[in-house]
Amino acid sequence: MTTYRIGEAADLLGVSADTIRRWVDAGRLTAGRDEHDHRVIDGVDLAAFARAQAGDPDAGAEFSSARNRLRGIVVDVRKDTVMAQVDIQAGPFRVVSLMSREAVDELELRVGSMAVAVIKSTTVVVERAAPGPSRGRSAG
């Protein structure tokens, strides 16, 4: 059974550890105790909570086959004569899109604008994250 400590759950949900503690204290999220008496959250329970917290797709989503929609703020726009790069910060995630300069101009995308990155792909690479805050691989 996979369990997460408060800090790990906070990282996964993009909130503070204090927010997770408040949700647990209010009964919105179930937590138990590990052998060291630290609060831990069952992975299945955390996944169900995260899914319940996810909002409905944005307006217009019902007209699209894309299911991956990340709302965020435009943090950088770089344009040349033909192409542009738009960086969107969606919670803890940075999404970079390359598009025509014409599209950027028509959408009036500027730093500070709200935007939705709609991702549709037949190839999505999924990696299993290493446990712990470092997420790095150890030698040996």
Side-chain angles (χ1 to χ4, degrees):
M1 172 172 72
T2 302
T3 60
Y4 296 95
R5 294 189 58 182
I6 295 293
E8 292 172 319
D11 287 344
L12 290 170
L13 297 183
V15 298
S16 71
D18 286 339
T19 296
I20 296 291
R21 286 186 195 94
R22 281 193 295 275
W23 288 342
V24 169
D25 292 343
R28 292 183 59 197
L29 185 58
T30 304
R33 298 278 180 173
D34 67 8
E35 64 275 5
H36 304 289
D37 205 33
H38 295 121
R39 290 190 208 189
V40 292
I41 301 167
D42 177 74
V44 172
D45 291 341
L46 185 61
F49 182 82
R51 186 174 188 106
Q53 297 307 301
D56 290 332
D58 293 311
E62 65 271 11
F63 301 112
S64 174
S65 65
R67 296 293 180 252
N68 304 300
R69 305 174 67 81
L70 303 172
R71 180 187 299 275
I73 186 168
V74 176
V75 294
D76 193 24
V77 177
R78 292 184 210 139
K79 300 189 282 188
D80 66 18
T81 56
V82 177
M83 295 299 295
Q85 175 180 316
V86 177
D87 292 21
I88 299 171
Q89 193 68 38
F93 305 106
R94 176 178 173 237
V95 179
V96 178
S97 178
L98 302 176
M99 65 184 76
S100 70
R101 179 191 178 113
E102 179 182 12
V104 169
D105 291 343
E106 285 179 5
L107 292 171
E108 299 179 354
L109 294 175
R110 296 180 181 81
V111 171
S113 300
M114 187 185 318
V116 178
V118 180
I119 303 161
K120 173 83 175 181
S121 177
T122 57
T123 303
V124 176
V125 177
V126 177
E127 298 176 341
R128 184 169 174 154
S134 67
R135 303 285 187 242
R137 296 181 186 209
S138 59

